[in-house]
Amino acid sequence: MMPSGPIISVTLIGLLLLSALLYYRAVKIQRFLEPALAVSEPRIKFNQDINNLLTKEFGTTGSGIKFRRGSVLIDQSFLFSAAHEMDGSHPLILKKLGRFFLSVLGDQSLRERISLVLVSTNLPFTADTGLNRELRFQVQERTALILNSLFAAEPELEQKFGKYFAVTAVPVDASGGETNSIEFRMIPTERLHIDVLERLEKYSY
């Protein structure tokens, strides 16, 4: 029978080697995850701040309004069905939306990260070029009307931050694309990219 001393020594050496291997793997994983976190953290915080302001204004958002990947998405039926629910002389939903964007753009740390708020509705794109031109005009006109209504509901938004807003129509497949959403997309500035690069800088050595 082999003495217990050598067995214990071999076992301890094995445990030591296993610990060293696990530590080495943990360090490698950490070095991989840290840059990934550095890249995502500024955007995650930005999205959280925007989502908090949206929830503060609208409460728990349901199917009619939601925030996703830097965009506020509003179902057209949700917006226009609320047109009869008035707050003073303006639709309540537009009033709330105006206050939301006032809060967002009024926060300097958030405003520095937004170059443009692009208001868009979907354009059902067909094989008929003549129909497409007609629909494009109608959709763009409708989108501009939405933005003008937003400014009418909250005049301070246009006075202070009107230069941040633009309208467009986004072509989608008429046979399968969703055409009933109004999107307020917040286009990020270089500030977000600078934050990411600054966080990544320490990993370049």
Side-chain angles (χ1 to χ4, degrees), residues 4 7 20 36 41 154:
S4 60
I7 295 177
E41 188 176 358
E154 191 56 73

Side-chain angles (χ1 to χ4, degrees), residues 50-92:
I50 296 296
N51 199 42
N52 289 340
L53 288 173
L54 192 66
T55 302
K56 179 181 178 181
E57 192 60 53
F58 287 92
T60 303
T61 56
S63 58
I65 181 169
K66 55 189 174 183
F67 178 70
R68 185 177 64 192
R69 296 194 300 272
S71 294
V72 177
L73 300 172
I74 302 179
D75 190 280
Q76 289 194 35
S77 62
F78 178 72
L79 178 62
F80 292 112
S81 65
H84 301 294
E85 188 177 352
M86 307 298 283
D87 179 12
S89 59
H90 304 297
L92 179 59

